[in-house]
Amino acid sequence: MEQGVQVLYNVAHEPPLGVWIAVYFYFTGLSAGSFILSTLAYGFGLKKYKPIGFIGVVLATVLLVLAPLNLIIDLGRPERFWHLFPYLNIKSPVTWGSFLLTIYPINCLIYGYFMHRGNDKWTKITGLIGIPLAISVHGYTGFILALSKARALWNTAVMPILFLVSAMVSGIALMILVVAIRRLFAPPEERAQYHEIMVDLGRILAAAILADLFLIFSDVLVLLTADTEAREAALLILTLDFSPIFLGVELLLGSLVPLTILALPDFNRRMGWISLAAVLVMIGIFAMRYIMVIGGQSLPLS
Amino acid sequence: MSVRWGMVVDLRRCIGCHACQVACKAEMRTPLGVYRNWVKVVQKGRYPNVSLSFLPALCNNCENPICVRNCPTQATFRREDGIVMQDPHRCIGCKYCIASCPYDVRYLDPLKRVVQKCTWCHHRVDVGLEPACVNACPTRALIFGDINDPESEISKVLAANAVQVLKPERDTLPHVFYIGADMVAMRTYGGAEERVEVDWVRWWLAKLGILRPRAQAGE
Amino acid sequence: MTRRQFLKWALWAGTAGFVFQYGLMATELTRGGRSVGRTTGAPRVAVPTVCRLCPARCGILAFLEDGVVVKIEGNPKDPNARGGICPKGLSGVQLLFQPDRLLRPLRRAGPRGSARWQAISWDEAVSELASRLIEIRNNDAQQFVFLSGPASQRPDALTQRFLQAFGGPTVSEARLLRVANRAYALSLTWGADSYVPDLAQTKYILNFGANPYESHEMYVPLIRRLIEGRRGGAKLVTFDPRLSRTAGRSDEWFPLRSGTDAAVALAMANVITQLGLYDREFLEKHSNWPMDALAEHLRPYTPESAERFSGVAAGHIRRIAVEFATTHPALLLTGGGLSQRANGLQNERAVFLLAALTGNVERRGGLCLPRRYELADPEPRPSGAINPLPPQELFVQISLGETSPQLLWIDRANPAFEQPQPHMVQEILKDENKIPFLVVSDSFQTETAQLADLLLPAATFLESWELHSPPAYDLVPYVALQQPVISPWGEARPIPEVLLELAKQMGVEVGRFLPFGSMREYVEKQAQAIPELSAEGGLEHLTEVGIWAPAGHPDYGRDFSTDSKRLEIFSSVLALRKQPALPVYLAVTEHEQLGQDEFLLSVFDTAVQDDGVTPLLWWLMEIEHRNSLWINAEVAKRMRIHEGDWVEISSQVGRIRVRAFPTEGIHPQTVAIHGGLGHWGLGRLAQGGAFRSQDPNTSLIWWKEAGTHVQPLIPIRSDSAAGGQAWQDTVVRLVKVEEGSP
Ligand SMILES: Nc1nc2c(c(=O)[nH]1)N[C@H]1C(S)=C(S)[C@@H](COP(=O)(O)OP(=O)(O)OC[C@H]3O[C@@H](n4cnc5c(=O)[nH]c(N)nc54)[C@H](O)[C@@H]3O)O[C@H]1N2
Ligand SMILES: Nc1nc2c(c(=O)[nH]1)N[C@H]1C(S)=C(S)[C@@H](COP(=O)(O)OP(=O)(O)OC[C@H]3O[C@@H](n4cnc5c(=O)[nH]c(N)nc54)[C@H](O)[C@@H]3O)O[C@H]1N2
Ligand code: SF4
Ligand code: SF4
Ligand code: SF4
Ligand code: SF4
Ligand code: SF4
Ligand SMILES: [Mo]
């Protein structure tokens, strides 16, 4: 019975969410990651990381101002974006986002302002307030996908946490690159300090990649054994259309290669290699966002 | 009891003629390339034991519509009588409802840039007329009516026949009921033989110009 | 308040009242007959008329908003279609507002076919025609050749009348391109040129080469009853080399070798005779041939020999024969696959024999004679003769010089596209020696219209009058009115109206037979001639309801109108013409010696397209805009042909390139293709690609190709006894090619 099935007529559906949305997810992830790193020094008092505190918050803010622009560009009717507020629907994760995306950058600005003014107490308070916000901002994007129900690749419980962990991964990688650049322009006596931060961040990155890999592993494993649509979704990234990007870019180039670099004793202290690992990770996470958004919609529903 | 509209698609009567599909275009003036309803046609079997099945698809006007739950502006909402409405003036075109609907029956209007879908011809139903597709169907394969009225034609048909809905596991509680739908038409993923496995190493080598791409079947 | 405003207001109030009432009453909705504005909710004005996009002539309602036709729905009062409608009928609206309609009379201003035109007035056009026609009439009336279309329709009564009044013109009906064989076969057999299958009452449907799930001369009326019959327990068995949508939904499908139906049918007849399962009483009363003689004639047609020809297993043939003969009532369907062949006449008679043997003729649940009102031709009737000529033969005769028209008038037909060997037709139409003056009347620019010397903009069916009485599918005759729902666009005019004026200008000899002021007047006289209709208000009444259907019950058991008043199983006419008088299977010799990579080509219709103007309508084009070649999957694999690959098909007269569609649903020796696409001279919509027009949707067209023109493959070839074109007999050779060429 399985044999000889041929669809003679059906209509094609454009995937509703485009690359803009993948970019949006990517930016919010980077923003959340950077913010959390920035609070290491101010929120949790790890003095060592003070140099990246301010860079972190600037990046977090800029990215989070850029991110919703992608959303608005993607709207059919961008001029109506304000409908999100008066007509809100509290059950919709997009509505949660409307508020998070408003409050979070404001908090970032205040946090940055106090940091700039050297007001440590308020920096700490706003920093700590910002952490759940940052987690929510990115976590809610995971819910956007998880709660859309229609797409088997999205509709899983690991989705929000996977999004958070991958946000951390990409955020750390971004921070490594920023520190590397900062180091180039720093006076020679400060360079060692930046070097130390980079090596540390490299270690955290390796840990985060491991966590990310574990989540991906459990996601795929469960997809493979859940129901038919889930299995199709797993096959989509394992053997079918999206496998070259998933296996080649997200896993190999974006996770395993950087992990190896960061695990090898000699390499994981060299600035060039750490930076290379960070670049690969950033590419890998973008691939992940792309596979999620575009791949997730590529399985026909009708 | 209050009215709850529902639709039956009786595939024992359906001839796959696409009249319902064209009737909807004619009624709603849906732009070219997007559809509020369509008729899927699937063939199965090996020569000479082959057969066809049809599957007219449209919005299920679900009892538990995920599109409504997920719309951030309440542009799509459920009416008392079960019709899931779509307000083109309110909609911002975020397309989240499209991504959410398990049946892919929503579309972004390419001319008006807002999302639209079948609303069971509420403008007709509200003045006592059957939906345009039901009106057109040459074989009466489509039945529309109040499932809460035990005397209605649809209630009787529902009571007397084995019916199916699409993707019941999605818990949307669809209110388009099918009689005699074939599994291969209802399923949305390709069968084992439709899958083209990709050798990702070769794929990348070809992409990077190191290997010659293998000729692909089809276009 | 203007009258119009008042009317609107009154209608509004009416609906408001209705809604109110409705809220209190039951929840059943009405099926049709009314329509409201989508955004305003205001009731629309309904004008009943008749769809003319195929021969079925379903009753429809055209709905108007502010004087503009906005929607077409089925007319629930129509006893045949019962308010149902097909995708083509729904798309009539788009036909009316076609971006590429012809809107003014045009005279050629460059060489023939140069598409350079000069707009002229109707007066000028008609007076030129009148003087030319008078001259021809005075010399040799036969040199006025009229090709009447559209190919799916009988010519309007007024057009026929004009031709008779003219006296002696040569007339080709494009319609006869396809239906001639069946019409002749049935006339010979029982005196009427079609049958009405009493499907709703039947228990068994044996289908040879019809595809009523997608197309039929009586599409909507027929399929409705077929489904009723099946729901009532009737079994549907289909013989077709291709898995048509009908075959794909049948209880059993037998893919037989193309063209061998008669062998199968006669073997079944033989089985039925041998087993004594025939209806002795019926045959004694109605047959014109003794049973033992018939049995003798059938004896060589064994299921085993039929299996050799057709590939259908003898066991199946026996089983189906017994099922058919022992299930009562049972009936047959026959379609183009059976009749559009060089052996079409015999095929039809062979299959009809099965109904005759089992007595399923003029009985409940069997094949019945068509019931319709014979519409009167009002006095004074012209007595002039016309010289009929099958359309495909017309161009052969012109090329051989056997017919030399002084003036060829092609009315709403498109022979340069739709005829077999269209290149030859095009050559002839371009040749000013062969056709000194070419008049084309059509609503659209077509491949034929491009070549005209005088191009007249015809009104569409939605802008014209005509009275109809289609064969009643409940066997109780009725009358349907086709009336203008809107005045013609631009300067377009109904051609019969033009003929009325032309007749007047041609002087009293022709004009006295056409003394009608308008088409309406003519139709009114026709309606008056039916006393009961007249009593109920005649045409006035019809314009309001569209359908006049007196109540009644089927009167089964009508007499046959052959000369012998019997069912002519033995055709005396064929005997006189030295043709096989008892049904036979005529094998087509070249079919039996197919070489490697040679196939039998079958052409078919689909539910959303026809061979005519439907490619102009994007509601239909977006569903189907490409015609691929169906080929058996196993064979395709052997030939290394994959879906979407280009193949070149060549026949004895032409070659084309199309994409391949390997499928499990076709006989290994048959390839099949839908034959209505691939236009180059019909409007822009028929040619693929986006363009700008008043309709913003035309800029959303995504398909670049719009199919392949199939007719160039098909040789002119007719059934020698009935004259119908053999569309289905072409032998083609296939090769895989790299690229398609336009
Ligand atoms: N390859 C291949 N070619 C074929 C065939 C095939 O099987 N295979 N089949 C042949 C056959 S059988 C047919 S029927 C033809 C189909 O060819 P056509 O006859 O061209 O088909 P239609 O689309 O039915 O034509 C409809 C046109 O007639 C107009 N019309 C209808 N009624 C009226 C009226 O009352 N007044 C006016 N003014 N206009 C009217 C409509 O508006 C429309 O323009 O194709 C033939 N060609
Ligand atoms: N939607 C739609 N409806 C239409 C039309 C249309 O174009 N579109 N056209 C109208 C007109 S003008 C006409 S004439 C009628 C035509 O009505 P039909 O003649 O019933 O229509 P076709 O599609 O030509 O059907 C031919 C069928 O015969 C099969 N066939 C081919 N060769 C053989 C054979 O040797 N044996 C058997 N048993 N079958 C064979 C083909 O595969 C195909 O399925 O339909 C009318 N109705
Ligand atoms: S109109 Fe009716 S018969 Fe035709 S495809 Fe739709 S449901 Fe089926
Ligand atoms: S079918 Fe889809 S669009 Fe329609 S109500 Fe259900 S979830 Fe919403
Ligand atoms: S596209 Fe419109 S209807 Fe859909 S979720 Fe967004 S606002 Fe709501
Ligand atoms: S109910 Fe109306 S809107 Fe819905 S598919 Fe039918 S015709 Fe279209
Ligand atoms: S079957 Fe369709 S095309 Fe033919 S007359 Fe009826 S509505 Fe028109
Ligand atoms: Mo025809």
Side-chain angles (χ1 to χ4, degrees):
Chain A
M1 241 264 311
E2 267 300 305
Q3 290 188 320
V5 173
Q6 205 170 5
V7 177
L8 302 190
Y9 179 83
N10 202 0
V11 300
H13 301 272
E14 290 264 314
L17 307 181
V19 180
W20 291 116
I21 300 296
V23 174
Y24 162 72
F25 289 160
Y26 190 55
F27 280 10
T28 52
L30 288 173
S31 166
S34 321
F35 186 90
I36 291 170
L37 280 181
S38 124
T39 60
L40 285 180
Y42 291 90
F44 297 99
L46 299 172
K47 291 276 163 344
K48 188 172 155 191
Y49 296 108
K50 238 179 171 156
I52 60 171
F54 193 65
I55 311 173
V57 71
V58 170
L59 277 175
T61 317
V62 171
L63 284 165
L64 234 248
V65 170
L66 291 179
L69 285 183
N70 291 295
L71 277 188
I72 294 180
I73 291 173
D74 197 61
L75 291 184
R77 287 298 194 96
E79 82 283 6
R80 291 189 183 166
F81 83 94
W82 58 271
H83 286 196
L84 286 165
F85 297 99
Y87 306 127
L88 65 100
N89 169 15
I90 205 64
K91 288 184 185 161
S92 168
V94 175
T95 290
W96 311 344
S98 323
F99 289 92
L100 292 172
L101 289 173
T102 319
I103 300 169
Y104 172 73
I106 294 175
N107 185 70
C108 283
L109 284 175
I110 302 173
Y111 170 67
Y113 170 80
F114 285 126
M115 197 188 292
H116 187 64
R117 294 292 299 268
N119 183 336
D120 283 3
K121 181 175 158 224
W122 277 101
T123 311
K124 180 170 176 157
I125 294 173
T126 47
L128 290 179
I129 294 177
I131 290 175
L133 275 178
I135 291 177
S136 308
V137 155
H138 197 62
Y140 109 89
T141 59
F143 278 111
I144 284 198
L145 296 189
L147 294 182
S148 356
K149 188 181 261 196
R151 322 275 166 170
L153 192 61
W154 302 351
N155 191 207
T156 67
V158 294
M159 195 52 49
I161 188 86
L162 179 61
F163 260 54
L164 276 178
V165 171
S166 57
M168 282 314 296
V169 173
S170 62
I172 299 166
L174 177 65
M175 200 56 72
I176 290 178
L177 293 176
V178 173
V179 173
I181 294 166
R182 189 73 222 282
R183 183 183 159 277
L184 289 180
F185 299 99
E189 65 278 12
E190 285 178 24
R191 287 199 181 161
Q193 179 196 355
Y194 283 117
H195 185 180
E196 229 14 69
I197 295 178
M198 274 183 75
V199 174
D200 279 4
L201 287 178
R203 292 211 183 97
I204 307 176
L205 181 59
I209 293 174
L210 276 174
D212 192 43
L213 281 175
F214 173 72
L215 286 172
I216 293 171
F217 173 76
S218 50
D219 189 20
V220 171
L221 197 62
V222 174
L223 281 178
L224 272 173
T225 48
D227 57 36
T228 335
E229 281 183 48
R231 194 176 117 85
E232 288 297 314
L235 292 181
L236 179 80
I237 58 175
L238 290 180
T239 61
L240 306 181
D241 297 19
F242 282 78
S243 63
I245 310 183
F246 177 69
L247 300 176
V249 183
E250 183 178 342
L251 282 192
L252 183 69
L253 213 60
S255 303
L256 297 177
V257 173
L259 200 58
T260 316
I261 294 174
L262 296 171
L264 292 176
D266 261 355
F267 293 80
N268 65 10
R269 295 201 57 84
R270 293 205 199 139
M271 232 106 9
W273 286 103
I274 299 177
S275 306
L276 176 66
V279 170
L280 291 177
V281 163
M282 301 232 357
I283 295 172
I285 298 295
F286 184 75
M288 178 255 184
R289 305 282 188 247
Y290 179 84
I291 294 167
M292 274 300 159
V293 174
I294 309 295
Q297 298 173 87
S298 75
L299 290 173
L301 297 181
S302 64
Chain B
M1 216 192 267
S2 60
V3 175
R4 196 342 169 165
W5 300 117
M7 189 186 275
V8 164
V9 182
D10 187 345
L11 294 160
R12 300 167 303 186
R13 305 184 76 102
C14 176
I15 58 168
C17 67
H18 302 275
C20 45
Q21 193 174 341
V22 176
C24 184
K25 288 264 159 159
E27 181 73 24
M28 308 309 300
R29 299 286 160 150
T30 312
L32 192 148
V34 288
Y35 309 83
R36 286 173 201 235
N37 64 342
W38 63 92
V39 184
K40 187 175 174 184
V41 181
V42 180
Q43 176 183 305
K44 74 172 180 192
R46 293 273 184 230
Y47 181 86
N49 299 310
V50 201
S51 72
L52 294 176
S53 36
F54 311 125
L55 193 78
L58 68 163
C59 172
N60 289 292
N61 288 272
C62 304
E63 193 70 17
N64 184 16
I66 184 67
C67 53
V68 169
R69 168 183 269 272
N70 278 351
C71 172
T73 63
Q74 301 180 45
T76 185
F77 57 93
R78 196 176 160 278
R79 269 186 2 180
E80 200 65 350
D81 58 9
I83 296 184
V84 173
M85 297 289 289
Q86 183 66 33
D87 180 348
H89 304 290
R90 170 82 53 98
C91 174
I92 60 175
C94 70
K95 298 165 286 181
Y96 187 38
C97 51
I98 309 182
S100 306
C101 168
Y103 311 96
D104 230 348
V105 295
R106 298 175 153 263
Y107 62 88
L108 185 78
D109 186 309
L111 303 171
K112 302 212 174 78
R113 312 292 304 161
V114 292
V115 167
Q116 273 298 0
K117 69 162 194 90
C118 157
T119 55
W120 271 349
C121 284
H122 68 276
H123 62 289
R124 289 173 62 98
V125 171
D126 289 348
V127 296
L129 280 169
E130 284 183 329
C133 51
V134 178
N135 170 263
C137 178
T139 56
R140 268 180 163 277
L142 304 176
I143 305 168
F144 185 86
D146 178 7
I147 60 168
N148 281 349
D149 173 359
E151 292 304 311
S152 66
E153 183 189 3
I154 188 169
S155 294
K156 290 178 184 159
V157 170
L158 284 174
N161 290 283
V163 295
Q164 297 134 290
V165 295
L166 297 178
K167 302 186 188 177
E169 71 280 5
R170 294 280 156 205
D171 193 37
T172 43
L173 307 181
H175 271 56
V176 173
F177 305 95
Y178 294 85
I179 300 179
D182 189 357
M183 187 185 91
V184 298
M186 291 199 287
R187 96 181 171 197
T188 56
Y189 44 89
E193 61 193 284
E194 279 170 53
R195 294 200 198 101
V196 185
E197 296 208 348
V198 183
D199 177 343
W200 69 270
V201 178
R202 275 183 106 13
W203 192 91
W204 274 109
L205 292 179
K207 263 265 138 92
L208 301 172
I210 300 167
L211 259 184
R212 277 195 58 198
R214 216 177 312 174
Q216 281 258 306
E219 285 163 73
Chain C
M1 193 184 278
T2 65
R3 200 181 103 86
R4 188 181 199 108
Q5 275 169 334
F6 171 76
L7 274 177
K8 257 191 178 170
W9 180 84
L11 284 167
W12 257 105
T15 341
F18 179 82
V19 173
F20 172 67
Q21 246 187 353
Y22 166 76
L24 293 177
M25 289 184 348
T27 49
E28 288 296 12
L29 303 170
T30 33
R31 187 146 277 254
R34 296 187 295 125
S35 175
V36 295
R38 185 162 50 88
T39 47
T40 60
R44 290 165 169 169
V45 177
V47 185
T49 186
V50 168
C51 175
R52 296 296 302 278
L53 287 167
C54 89
R57 290 171 288 165
C58 302
I60 54 172
L61 295 174
F63 287 103
L64 281 76
E65 260 177 47
D66 296 327
V68 178
V69 182
V70 290
K71 176 104 193 275
I72 287 175
E73 290 181 14
N75 184 351
K77 294 207 170 76
D78 181 296
N80 264 7
R82 299 191 192 150
I85 191 166
C86 83
K88 294 198 294 161
L90 286 158
S91 306
V93 189
Q94 289 202 318
L95 194 70
L96 209 48
F97 299 111
Q98 238 308 302
D100 292 318
R101 258 194 81 164
L102 289 174
L103 298 172
R104 329 182 52 177
L106 300 172
R107 195 207 301 276
R108 173 160 71 87
R112 216 178 247 187
S114 62
R116 269 183 276 151
W117 305 100
Q118 177 204 346
I120 58 172
S121 70
W122 270 109
D123 285 346
E124 208 179 328
V126 173
S127 53
E128 170 161 5
L129 270 172
S131 63
R132 283 182 187 265
L133 286 177
I134 290 168
E135 199 188 310
I136 296 173
R137 191 166 183 272
N138 293 339
N139 291 333
D140 180 0
Q142 285 196 36
Q143 291 186 341
F144 170 37
V145 181
F146 193 88
L147 176 59
S148 85
S152 58
Q153 308 287 333
R154 286 166 199 270
D156 336 37
L158 256 179
T159 305
Q160 269 172 317
R161 195 174 166 111
F162 171 83
L163 295 168
Q164 282 168 4
F166 182 90
T170 307
V171 177
S172 271
E173 286 183 36
R175 175 178 78 94
L176 296 176
L177 271 178
R178 180 131 53 151
V179 293
N181 292 343
R182 175 171 327 137
Y184 191 55
L186 291 171
S187 310
L188 293 176
T189 313
W190 71 351
D193 67 359
S194 63
Y195 54 75
V196 170
D198 193 11
L199 283 156
Q201 317 291 340
T202 202
K203 292 292 174 221
Y204 203 95
I205 306 161
L206 194 50
N207 168 25
F208 287 94
N211 182 15
Y213 273 57
E214 284 192 275
S215 75
H216 190 274
E217 278 144 60
M218 295 299 293
Y219 186 32
V220 168
L222 184 139
I223 195 62
R224 176 64 183 270
R225 287 159 182 84
L226 186 143
I227 295 295
E228 299 299 344
R230 289 196 77 182
R231 294 297 304 130
K235 178 170 180 177
L236 173 60
V237 176
T238 293
F239 287 83
D240 194 318
R242 180 181 72 93
L243 189 83
S244 65
R245 293 211 176 159
T246 310
R249 296 296 292 170
S250 293
D251 296 298
E252 292 193 61
W253 169 50
F254 295 106
L256 80 175
R257 200 160 192 276
S258 297
T260 62
D261 298 73
V264 174
L266 292 170
M268 287 186 183
N270 189 13
V271 170
I272 292 171
T273 326
Q274 298 297 322
L275 297 179
L277 296 175
Y278 51 89
D279 186 334
R280 194 176 308 272
E281 205 184 318
F282 175 85
L283 289 168
E284 267 166 20
K285 205 160 148 212
H286 297 292
S287 159
N288 74 338
W289 202 242
M291 215 30 231
D292 42 351
L294 184 62
E296 207 44 52
H297 169 76
L298 290 173
R299 197 174 299 280
Y301 291 103
T302 61
E304 284 69 24
S305 75
E307 175 173 345
R308 273 197 302 284
F309 289 119
S310 67
V312 181
H316 285 314
I317 296 178
R318 280 206 177 81
R319 177 174 58 83
I320 299 295
V322 172
E323 276 182 22
F324 177 77
T326 53
T327 312
H328 296 288
L331 55 70
L332 296 149
L333 290 179
T334 58
L338 189 72
S339 54
Q340 295 162 16
R341 296 189 166 277
N343 55 8
L345 170 98
Q346 290 297 340
N347 290 348
E348 283 285 342
R349 283 189 28 97
V351 171
F352 194 87
L353 177 62
L354 290 171
L357 278 178
T358 52
N360 284 301
V361 175
E362 262 302 299
R363 268 200 194 154
R364 191 166 177 276
L367 294 183
C368 297
L369 289 161
R371 272 83 167 152
R372 57 166 92 91
Y373 282 92
E374 291 307 329
L375 299 173
D377 201 1
E379 298 287 346
R381 277 189 215 116
S383 52
I386 57 170
N387 301 301
L389 194 58
Q392 77 275 24
E393 298 297 337
L394 169 67
F395 290 97
V396 176
Q397 290 206 2
I398 294 176
S399 77
L400 298 177
E402 288 166 15
T403 297
S404 37
Q406 278 303 305
L407 187 152
L408 171 60
W409 184 337
I410 300 176
D411 180 29
R412 287 165 287 166
N414 188 9
F417 180 86
E418 77 197 4
Q419 290 232 353
Q421 283 176 245
H423 296 307
M424 183 194 89
V425 174
Q426 290 155 27
E427 285 314 309
I428 291 171
L429 292 178
K430 277 181 202 150
D431 187 341
E432 292 187 42
N433 295 320
K434 293 217 163 78
I435 315 278
F437 198 68
L438 178 60
V439 183
V440 175
S441 43
D442 208 306
S443 305
F444 312 98
Q445 189 59 264
T446 67
E447 286 82 2
T448 304
Q450 284 177 354
L451 305 175
D453 298 320
L454 185 60
L455 183 49
L456 305 175
T460 66
F461 69 98
L462 290 167
E463 299 154 330
S464 318
W465 292 91
E466 178 139 34
L467 202 60
H468 301 273
S469 185
Y473 262 54
D474 286 335
L475 302 171
V476 182
Y478 70 99
V479 172
L481 175 69
Q482 175 191 336
Q483 62 177 326
V485 298
I486 193 170
S487 47
W489 233 26
E491 292 172 30
R493 288 177 67 183
I495 295 307
E497 211 122 273
V498 176
L499 294 177
L500 284 179
E501 191 184 322
L502 188 57
K504 283 193 191 81
Q505 291 204 15
M506 285 181 65
V508 64
E509 273 182 71
V510 179
R512 72 194 154 111
F513 296 113
L514 293 133
F516 315 105
S518 63
M519 284 165 83
R520 188 184 200 279
E521 189 185 323
Y522 179 79
V523 167
E524 192 163 19
K525 290 224 161 78
Q526 284 186 305
Q528 262 166 18
I530 304 173
E532 305 94 307
L533 170 57
S534 203
E536 285 184 40
L539 185 66
E540 206 54 49
H541 173 62
L542 267 179
T543 53
E544 275 159 38
V545 290
I547 303 280
W548 177 70
H553 294 286
D555 53 336
Y556 297 107
R558 282 198 177 182
D559 291 334
F560 307 118
S561 47
T562 49
D563 287 345
S564 61
K565 298 280 173 265
R566 284 182 165 252
L567 209 58
E568 296 215 355
I569 286 175
F570 177 92
S571 167
S572 41
V573 176
L574 287 179
L576 280 177
R577 294 182 53 194
K578 304 259 186 303
Q579 297 272 354
L582 285 170
V584 291
Y585 166 56
L586 299 174
V588 184
T589 38
E590 74 261 29
H591 287 192
E592 305 206 304
Q593 305 145 357
L594 285 189
Q596 261 279 312
D597 302 342
E598 278 188 339
F599 298 87
L600 301 172
L601 177 73
S602 180
V603 286
F604 60 90
D605 294 332
T606 68
V608 295
Q609 293 284 3
D610 60 27
D611 317 298
V613 294
T614 51
L616 285 173
L617 316 175
W618 71 252
W619 287 342
L620 303 175
M621 280 301 265
E622 75 174 337
I623 298 177
E624 187 187 319
H625 45 259
R626 182 195 277 188
N627 48 352
S628 302
L629 186 76
W630 293 38
I631 176 167
N632 181 282
E634 205 53 46
V635 175
K637 200 187 263 173
R638 200 184 66 218
M639 296 178 72
R640 295 176 202 286
I641 294 172
H642 302 280
E643 180 162 356
D645 284 352
W646 287 95
V647 289
E648 186 172 270
I649 327 174
S650 50
S651 75
Q652 139 211 4
V653 295
R655 83 182 50 228
I656 62 172
R657 285 180 176 200
V658 293
R659 289 173 189 276
F661 174 64
T663 167
E664 298 289 339
I666 194 164
H667 189 280
Q669 285 178 316
T670 295
V671 290
I673 189 163
H674 164 225
L677 297 171
H679 281 276
W680 67 92
L682 200 58
R684 287 164 289 177
L685 248 154
Q687 300 174 36
F691 62 93
R692 286 184 175 281
S693 72
Q694 313 96 292
D695 180 353
N697 289 289
T698 58
S699 54
L700 299 174
I701 295 174
W702 79 82
W703 54 93
K704 305 271 183 297
E705 312 160 23
T708 308
H709 187 210
V710 176
Q711 276 79 348
L713 286 176
I714 296 173
I716 294 172
R717 177 175 188 181
S718 309
D719 181 300
S720 59
Q725 163 66 25
W727 289 103
Q728 310 278 9
D729 276 330
T730 315
V731 175
V732 293
R733 173 179 286 279
L734 276 199
V735 284
K736 187 177 161 177
V737 288
E738 278 306 309
E739 253 307 299
S741 67

